[in-house]
Amino acid sequence: MRVDRAALYDLFAEYGALIDAAQYDKWLGLFAAECRYQIIPRENYERGLPAALVFCDSRAMLEDRIRALREANKYNIHTDRHVIGLPRIVNDALAVEAPFAVFQTDQEGETRLFATGLYRDRLEASGNSLKFCDKLILLDTFAVPSLLATPL
Amino acid sequence: MRVDRAALYDLFAEYGALIDAAQYDKWLGLFAAECRYQIIPRENYERGLPAALVFCDSRAMLEDRIRALREANKYNIHTDRHVIGLPRIVNDALAVEAPFAVFQTDQEGETRLFATGLYRDRLEASGNSLKFCDKLILLDTFAVPSLLATPL
Amino acid sequence: MRVDRAALYDLFAEYGALIDAAQYDKWLGLFAAECRYQIIPRENYERGLPAALVFCDSRAMLEDRIRALREANKYNIHTDRHVIGLPRIVNDALAVEAPFAVFQTDQEGETRLFATGLYRDRLEASGNSLKFCDKLILLDTFAVPSLLATPL
């Protein structure tokens, strides 16, 4: 099956925009009913040590996680900004990758680079749109996991 | 009306490229004859305090502003680099958003993150191309407004 | 000749992804058999002083360079992450530009902005895909050339 490029680009644009706008419920809607969401330090992944920083293997688990993050975020008030590079179709049409940088701004209005990494995802077609059924976030920046207060 | 994606992506690619190349006259050409250009700190905007850092509600005003920036820029010599994420079509086809990061390089060749934010724009079709008729720049990084010496 | 946009976007997505994955042999495959690869500080270029930091005017030379970088990289262990903006078609269809930011992560998992700049490239069609025949990298960040241990 060939992916529709417009739908592919829109999915990634929506993904970043909805986190940055703190619209987490809409953001959850980008995931398939059966889905997996993981954040793994790139280094661990490449060494075959897939100890995840975040591991959710169902949508219910992901919803719980988001609720917890929202609570934690009260003590780490910041806004996010995702800049996501062009998605790349890997093997077949529904395995895709995209690089990202996330910037955070604190309450004093200072912006810092927070993390970079690679989304390595599997998609599924859902009507005219696409949804994430397996989202693997390979995190370059493994020095900051304790500060994860919003989804990447 | 449905937006042409190629024209949409080109508009944003041009927008960043022309600022970075200091081709401000060509850059002005990306705006419709009747246009508005505003930079508002994201925080103010979300609290309903739309005190703009920059507010131009006509193209003549925008042209004036650019002339003033050029003058100011003599005392803050740097080059810009915009990295703009994939544009996202919001409601109808002519309301679009795109996240951005702007980096600045000083005369010693050191590059720093300058600001991040979100373009929230309305477009109008103009022949085969698109132009900005309302450009709202929601600026994450409100700590640095005094350093605004080139358009965002 | 008009460029195929999907092929254009894929070429740039591949370009960054293959460097970041350290798949340099595949990355070399994105260049035409006869090709040129140069890194020039933007400032020098604009002043008409095209003293290149890296200058390879054949693919054999580029292959040699990559081998040397790999050796050097043993003493500057890091991972790269490219975030490349939307490519822009400049004059005709095969002269294109794209802005980029490169981030590097060290062995402690800390990520820093490494460099920004502009790709100013000429492409050639090769079957259904596109290849680089002339890649000019205008580097904003000229303060760090000595740290060039992986291609930009």
Side-chain angles (χ1 to χ4, degrees):
Chain A
M1 191 201 142
R2 278 192 60 77
V3 81
D4 175 56
R5 260 162 202 280
L8 175 62
Y9 292 0
D10 286 352
L11 182 66
F12 279 92
E14 290 276 306
Y15 182 88
L18 292 174
I19 297 174
D20 295 348
Q23 295 185 358
Y24 302 118
D25 290 325
K26 275 196 176 180
W27 176 81
L28 285 165
L30 302 178
F31 289 85
E34 292 196 23
C35 66
R36 193 164 62 165
Y37 173 96
Q38 297 176 82
I39 303 177
I40 300 180
R42 173 185 176 160
E43 195 184 51
N44 288 8
Y45 185 81
E46 287 176 356
R47 290 182 182 177
L49 302 165
L53 294 170
V54 174
F55 179 82
C56 300
D57 69 352
S58 71
R59 182 137 150 198
M61 219 171 145
L62 185 55
E63 286 168 17
D64 273 0
R65 180 80 197 188
I66 292 299
R67 216 172 294 130
L69 288 179
R70 278 178 167 175
E71 199 54 40
N73 207 4
K74 289 180 189 161
Y75 306 100
N76 174 18
I77 297 174
H78 71 273
T79 56
D80 289 313
R81 187 64 60 202
H82 285 68
V83 180
I84 302 177
L86 287 166
R88 175 190 175 218
I89 295 168
V90 183
N91 282 314
D92 58 88
L94 295 173
V96 298
E97 283 183 4
F100 66 88
V102 179
F103 303 92
Q104 290 193 342
T105 301
D106 64 22
Q107 289 185 286
E108 277 73 46
E110 299 212 29
T111 304
R112 288 182 196 81
L113 174 67
F114 178 66
T116 65
L118 184 71
Y119 298 123
R120 184 174 288 177
D121 302 335
R122 289 199 70 83
L123 309 179
E124 74 182 35
S126 165
N128 285 329
S129 69
L130 293 165
K131 296 202 184 262
F132 294 109
C133 53
D134 192 356
K135 185 157 207 73
L136 171 60
I137 301 174
L138 295 178
L139 188 64
D140 297 331
T141 317
F142 56 86
V144 293
S146 62
L147 297 172
L148 273 183
T150 34
L152 291 170
Chain B
M1 189 199 145
R2 277 192 61 77
V3 80
D4 175 55
R5 259 159 203 281
L8 175 63
Y9 291 0
D10 285 352
L11 181 67
F12 279 92
E14 290 277 307
Y15 181 91
L18 292 173
I19 297 173
D20 295 348
Q23 296 185 358
Y24 303 116
D25 290 326
K26 275 197 174 178
W27 175 80
L28 284 165
L30 302 179
F31 288 85
E34 292 195 25
C35 66
R36 192 165 61 164
Y37 173 97
Q38 298 176 82
I39 304 178
I40 299 181
R42 171 185 179 159
E43 198 186 48
N44 289 7
Y45 185 82
E46 288 176 354
R47 290 182 184 177
L49 305 165
L53 295 171
V54 176
F55 179 82
C56 300
D57 69 351
S58 72
R59 182 138 148 195
M61 217 172 147
L62 185 55
E63 286 167 17
D64 274 357
R65 178 82 198 187
I66 292 298
R67 216 171 293 132
L69 288 178
R70 277 178 168 174
E71 199 53 39
N73 206 5
K74 289 180 188 160
Y75 307 99
N76 174 17
I77 297 174
H78 71 272
T79 56
D80 289 313
R81 186 64 60 202
H82 284 68
V83 180
I84 301 177
L86 288 166
R88 174 189 176 219
I89 296 166
V90 181
N91 280 314
D92 59 88
L94 296 173
V96 298
E97 285 183 2
F100 65 88
V102 179
F103 303 93
Q104 291 193 342
T105 302
D106 64 22
Q107 289 184 284
E108 279 70 46
E110 299 212 30
T111 304
R112 288 181 196 80
L113 174 67
F114 178 66
T116 65
L118 184 71
Y119 298 122
R120 185 174 288 177
D121 302 335
R122 288 199 70 82
L123 310 178
E124 73 182 36
S126 165
N128 284 328
S129 69
L130 294 166
K131 297 202 183 261
F132 295 107
C133 53
D134 192 356
K135 187 158 204 69
L136 171 60
I137 302 174
L138 294 178
L139 188 63
D140 297 331
T141 318
F142 56 87
V144 292
S146 63
L147 297 171
L148 270 183
T150 35
L152 290 171
Chain C
M1 190 201 143
R2 279 193 58 78
V3 81
D4 175 56
R5 259 160 203 281
L8 175 63
Y9 291 181
D10 285 352
L11 181 66
F12 279 92
E14 289 276 307
Y15 181 90
L18 292 174
I19 297 174
D20 295 349
Q23 295 185 358
Y24 302 118
D25 290 325
K26 275 197 176 178
W27 176 80
L28 284 164
L30 301 179
F31 289 86
E34 292 195 25
C35 67
R36 193 164 62 164
Y37 173 97
Q38 296 176 82
I39 303 176
I40 299 181
R42 170 184 179 160
E43 197 186 47
N44 289 7
Y45 185 82
E46 287 175 356
R47 290 182 184 177
L49 304 165
L53 295 171
V54 175
F55 180 81
C56 300
D57 69 350
S58 72
R59 180 138 150 196
M61 218 169 144
L62 185 54
E63 286 169 13
D64 273 0
R65 179 81 198 187
I66 292 299
R67 217 173 292 128
L69 287 178
R70 277 179 168 173
E71 199 54 39
N73 206 4
K74 288 179 187 160
Y75 305 99
N76 175 15
I77 297 174
H78 70 273
T79 55
D80 289 313
R81 186 63 60 200
H82 284 68
V83 180
I84 302 176
L86 287 167
R88 174 189 176 219
I89 296 167
V90 182
N91 282 313
D92 58 85
L94 296 173
V96 297
E97 284 183 2
F100 65 88
V102 179
F103 303 92
Q104 290 192 343
T105 302
D106 65 21
Q107 290 185 286
E108 278 71 46
E110 298 211 30
T111 303
R112 287 181 196 82
L113 174 66
F114 178 66
T116 65
L118 184 71
Y119 298 122
R120 185 175 286 178
D121 301 334
R122 288 198 70 82
L123 309 179
E124 74 182 35
S126 164
N128 284 329
S129 69
L130 293 166
K131 297 202 183 261
F132 295 108
C133 53
D134 192 356
K135 186 159 204 74
L136 171 60
I137 301 174
L138 294 179
L139 189 62
D140 296 330
T141 318
F142 55 87
V144 294
S146 63
L147 297 172
L148 271 184
T150 35
L152 290 170

